[in-house]
Amino acid sequence: MSKMKNIAILYICTGKYDIFWEDFYKTSEKYFLNNSEKHYFVFTDAQSIYDENCDRVHKIYQKTLGWPYNTLMRFNMFKGIEEKLKEFDYIFFLNANMLFVDYVGEEILPKEEGLLVAKHPAFYDKDVDEYPYDRNEKSLAYIPYGQGDIYVQGAFNGGKSRDFLQLINELDKNINIDLDNDVIALWHDESQLNRYIIGKEYKLLDPGYIYPEGWDLPFKAKIIGRDKSKWGGHQDLRGIKEPTFIEKLKGKITTIFSK
């Protein structure tokens, strides 16, 4: 019998995103790597979260950084518990709005590979030059046309502890270098992740593991990305104020005169 794996699950729910935590946690407990010991590291500014007294739920205070820094700076958050994460066999990150809907077992664990990534549901059948890679040469996430193999989504990734901690440290460094140069990658942490995996060994999951709620894809849904419009939408969840009519008008005027 194989040794029980120790699994660290990284989860960020600052601001209004804590509304997703209870359902995520309950479905993870039911469906995700049930032959392993799972520990949840929850980065949040919520006063309390569901089942926070469980000895496998580790609540870590994280203030809301605002958009896009709540997502861009995720690797910096994870670095804060790096020593603790070294104790685990595998580390996985999942977006706050992910929900397990079917059993996900050890078939996802990287064995020969070091990392785990999942194909983006919107680009699994597109050509490489159609991928939304960052084409800005000033960014460390830059990928020129003609390079790259796949496009992965930042919603679910992980790997063996040593390999994923290496990813965390490298991407935190690259993001901070970009910020020092007044650059933010096109799709933030996701752009950095896509650049990082070029030339790396990774286990690749199909889009069924990050299946957008309400989509019709030729994959079996294992983990769904919940439709945020049912929870106030991206703008509201991110704390971004909807621009007023005057602000929209100013934006249009600025665009016209900048052409």
Side-chain angles (χ1 to χ4, degrees), residues 31-74:
Y31 290 119
F32 189 45
L33 293 170
N34 288 340
N35 294 324
S36 302
E37 180 170 326
K38 293 171 287 191
H39 284 251
Y40 301 83
F41 294 88
V42 185
F43 297 80
T44 185
D45 54 353
Q47 288 190 345
S48 63
I49 59 172
Y50 179 78
D51 214 16
E52 66 179 50
N53 294 321
C54 172
D55 60 5
R56 293 183 296 104
V57 175
H58 310 280
K59 183 183 170 190
I60 301 158
Y61 176 75
Q62 173 60 53
K63 69 177 182 180
T64 299
L65 301 176
W67 180 255
Y69 302 100
N70 283 330
T71 186
L72 181 67
M73 302 308 292
R74 65 177 57 172

Side-chain angles (χ1 to χ4, degrees), residues 86-154:
K86 289 178 181 178
E87 300 173 9
F88 292 86
D89 299 312
Y90 290 91
I91 305 167
F92 297 104
F93 167 80
L94 294 101
N95 272 3
N97 66 318
M98 304 306 280
L99 188 77
F100 293 86
V101 294
D102 199 358
Y103 291 99
V104 177
E106 292 196 2
E107 71 278 356
I108 72 158
L109 296 179
K111 299 292 174 62
E112 300 302 322
E113 317 91 345
L115 298 172
L116 172 85
V117 290
K119 280 187 179 181
H120 198 298
F123 299 98
Y124 73 92
D125 58 350
K126 300 292 190 292
D127 293 330
V128 64
D129 282 342
E130 296 180 80
Y131 295 160
Y133 290 147
D134 192 319
R135 308 299 185 180
N136 177 10
E137 295 184 22
K138 295 180 180 179
S139 174
L140 290 176
Y142 168 65
I143 301 174
Y145 285 100
Q147 290 190 21
D149 298 309
I150 59 165
Y151 189 80
V152 302
Q153 191 173 39

Side-chain angles (χ1 to χ4, degrees), residues 155-191:
F156 180 26
N157 48 75
K160 294 175 183 176
S161 177
R162 183 183 64 180
D163 296 274
F164 197 64
L165 286 170
Q166 184 177 337
L167 177 152
I168 287 170
N169 279 280
E170 183 72 18
L171 293 190
D172 178 60
K173 181 187 75 173
N174 290 351
I175 287 166
N176 279 293
I177 291 173
D178 270 7
L179 288 173
D180 287 342
N181 293 321
D182 295 322
V183 175
I184 293 179
L186 178 63
W187 294 109
H188 317 116
D189 51 281
E190 185 173 283
S191 294

